[in-house]
């Protein structure tokens, strides 16, 4: 069960850290052009907010120092997420591109490929895993299959990254931040209903980070939006979905992950300029929330079906001779 301490660690802490970091970076970058300042504030806020939530949740057992240290000597798949979010943010913030943006595309492909390979390499069916070497894996992967999977994940990552980055300077960006937070929260709710509580909490931390950043953006009237931090948002969201697909027992199916990714992309991508803004934003929000609600609803129905009603036990009939004294 998720208690108040979990909410404090996984929701309140990342939201507060994200909002404070956003406000501080925005103040420090007051002399920087508005769009650039918004991009810096978004990237720093998402990285720091998610890291705060991730480490706070990990610190529930071993302590904060050990939780932070795990990210610098990663062992489990989730230990790589804070560094992945930072690496993706680096590609968004540091100008690697020239006129043809070759450097940016190569950087994006490199970090997407590294994250995809690292997650796949930790699976029990990876060709060099201990189970495969011992002959205990029923369906070991081939190197060709891994190469194809990495290529597909890189292509998906590049497409989603570019689509989200196109909404950097959209008006009413706080709506996009809310929809991105709703997508992460819906993914977390789906995993919680499916029994994968820790991944659900990490997605909740990401949702809280996006919510805190959106509130700070609205309060400071900063230009930009989730597209300014498309890289770190995708690293956290896609990384956690991929881990849920790979390392949980059917807690997150590929179909559900695809629908949630569609909802995130739809909620954070710039719409064509010819479409009326108000009507388009309304339709976007309804469709995005409907997709999220459908996935969560299916998970809730499965959870309800898995709970077997307790059958009342029949009381034994009283013995008429129990009080007989002969």
């Amino acid at each position: 069960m998720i208690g108040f301490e979990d909410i404090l660690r996984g929701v309140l802490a990342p939201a507060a850290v994200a909002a404070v970091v956003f406000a501080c970076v925005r103040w420090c970058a007051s002399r920087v052009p508005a769009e650039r300042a918004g991009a810096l504030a978004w990237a720093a806020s998402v990285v720091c907010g998610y890291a705060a939530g991730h480490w706070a949740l990990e610190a529930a057992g071993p302590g904060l120092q050990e939780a932070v240290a795990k990210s610098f000597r990663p062992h489990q798949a989730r230990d790589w997420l804070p560094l992945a979010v930072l690496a993706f943010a680096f590609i968004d913030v540091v100008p690697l591109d020239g006129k043809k943006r070759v450097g940016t595309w190569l950087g994006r492909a490199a970090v997407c490929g590294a994250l995809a390979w690292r997650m796949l390499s930790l699976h029990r069916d990876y060709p060099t895993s201990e189970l495969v070497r011992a002959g205990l894996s029923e369906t070991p992967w081939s190197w060709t299959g891994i190469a194809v999977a990495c290529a597909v994940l890189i292509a998906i990552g590049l497409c989603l990254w570019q689509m989200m980055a196109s909404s950097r300077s959209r008006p009413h960006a706080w709506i996009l931040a809310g929809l991105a937070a709703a997508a992460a929260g819906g993914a977390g709710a789906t995993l919680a209903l499916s029994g994968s509580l820790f991944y659900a909490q990490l997605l909740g931390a990401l949702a809280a980070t996006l919510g805190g950043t959106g509130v700070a953006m609205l309060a400071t009237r900063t230009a930009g939006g989730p597209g300014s931090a498309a890289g770190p948002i995708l690293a956290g969201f896609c990384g956690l979905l991929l881990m849920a697909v790979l390392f949980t027992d059917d807690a997150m199916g590929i179909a559900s992950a695809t629908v949630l990714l569609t909802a995130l992309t739809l909620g954070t991508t710039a719409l064509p300029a010819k479409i009326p803004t108000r009507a388009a934003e309304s339709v976007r929000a309804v469709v995005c929330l409907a997709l999220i609600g459908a996935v969560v609803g299916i998970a809730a129905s499965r959870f309800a079906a898995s709970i077997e009603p307790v059958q009342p036990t029949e009381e034994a009939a009283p013995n008429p001779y129990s009080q007989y004294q002969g």
Side-chain angles (χ1 to χ4, degrees), residues 193 299-309:
L193 291 168
S301 64
R302 290 177 178 174
F303 176 76
S306 66
I307 301 176
E308 297 181 358

Side-chain angles (χ1 to χ4, degrees), residues 181-192:
T190 302
L191 288 176

Side-chain angles (χ1 to χ4, degrees), residues 29-109:
S30 57
R31 296 184 179 181
V32 178
E35 185 174 349
R36 179 63 175 170
L40 292 172
W42 260 96
S45 179
V46 172
V47 170
C48 294
Y50 176 77
H54 185 106
W55 289 334
L57 290 169
E58 288 280 7
L64 182 59
Q65 182 177 357
E66 180 61 25
V68 175
K70 287 175 66 177
S71 294
F72 295 94
R73 53 172 189 270
H75 176 67
Q76 295 179 304
R78 65 175 184 257
D79 298 338
W80 291 89
L81 256 294
L83 291 179
V85 171
L86 178 61
F88 277 62
F90 178 84
I91 301 300
D92 265 343
V93 171
V94 177
L96 300 175
D97 53 326
K99 293 182 178 180
K100 297 183 179 180
R101 298 176 58 85
V102 175
T104 295
W105 283 102
L106 290 177
R108 289 176 179 178

Side-chain angles (χ1 to χ4, degrees), residues 147-164:
V148 172
C150 285
V152 170
L153 291 173
I154 291 172
I156 293 173
L158 290 177
C159 290
L160 296 181
W161 202 330
Q162 181 60 26
M163 292 173 69
M164 288 180 62

Side-chain angles (χ1 to χ4, degrees), residues 6-7 11 23 38 40 47-48 59 67 116 139 146 165 173 179-180 195 225-226 242 258 261 269 272 293 312 318:
D6 297 313
I7 295 175
V11 178
L40 292 172
V47 170
C48 294
T139 56
I146 292 170
L179 293 176
L242 184 58
T258 302
L261 274 176
T269 300

Side-chain angles (χ1 to χ4, degrees), residues 24-324:
C24 290
V25 173
R26 185 65 186 91
W27 180 76
C28 293
S30 57
R31 296 184 179 181
V32 178
E35 185 174 349
R36 179 63 175 170
L40 292 172
W42 260 96
S45 179
V46 172
V47 170
C48 294
Y50 176 77
H54 185 106
W55 289 334
L57 290 169
E58 288 280 7
L64 182 59
Q65 182 177 357
E66 180 61 25
V68 175
K70 287 175 66 177
S71 294
F72 295 94
R73 53 172 189 270
H75 176 67
Q76 295 179 304
R78 65 175 184 257
D79 298 338
W80 291 89
L81 256 294
L83 291 179
V85 171
L86 178 61
F88 277 62
F90 178 84
I91 301 300
D92 265 343
V93 171
V94 177
L96 300 175
D97 53 326
K99 293 182 178 180
K100 297 183 179 180
R101 298 176 58 85
V102 175
T104 295
W105 283 102
L106 290 177
R108 289 176 179 178
V111 292
C112 287
L115 180 60
W117 171 79
R118 182 72 272 187
M119 295 298 105
L120 292 173
S121 67
L122 296 173
H123 195 270
R124 61 179 178 269
D125 292 328
Y126 194 74
T128 58
S129 71
E130 294 181 359
L131 290 178
V132 173
R133 288 178 176 178
L136 300 177
S137 175
E138 296 180 357
T139 56
W141 294 343
S142 66
W143 290 111
T144 302
I146 292 170
V148 172
C150 285
V152 170
L153 291 173
I154 291 172
I156 293 173
L158 290 177
C159 290
L160 296 181
W161 202 330
Q162 181 60 26
M163 292 173 69
M164 288 180 62
S166 65
S167 64
R168 287 177 182 268
S169 58
R170 293 289 294 176
H172 307 296
W174 61 272
I175 298 177
L176 307 189
L179 293 176
T190 302
L191 288 176
L193 291 168
S194 303
S196 183
L197 289 180
F198 196 80
Y199 286 150
Q201 288 177 296
L202 291 178
L203 278 162
L206 179 60
T209 297
L210 295 173
T213 304
V215 170
M217 179 190 65
L218 187 62
T220 57
R221 299 179 180 179
T222 302
S228 300
I233 293 173
L234 282 175
F237 191 82
C238 296
L240 287 168
L241 286 187
L242 184 58
M243 283 189 283
V245 171
L246 291 174
F247 305 120
T248 61
D249 295 330
D250 298 326
M252 175 68 70
I254 295 178
S256 297
T258 302
V259 174
L260 289 168
L261 274 176
T262 302
L264 175 70
T265 308
L266 177 64
T268 56
T269 300
L271 299 174
K274 296 181 179 180
I275 301 178
T277 304
R278 183 173 299 179
E281 294 294 349
S282 299
V283 173
R284 178 218 294 269
V286 170
V287 175
C288 181
L289 294 175
L291 291 174
I292 298 168
V295 175
V296 176
I298 293 173
S301 64
R302 290 177 178 174
F303 176 76
S306 66
I307 301 176
E308 297 181 358
V310 179
Q311 298 294 334
T313 57
E314 296 182 1
E315 296 184 1
N319 185 357
Y321 299 102
S322 61
Q323 302 297 327
Y324 175 75

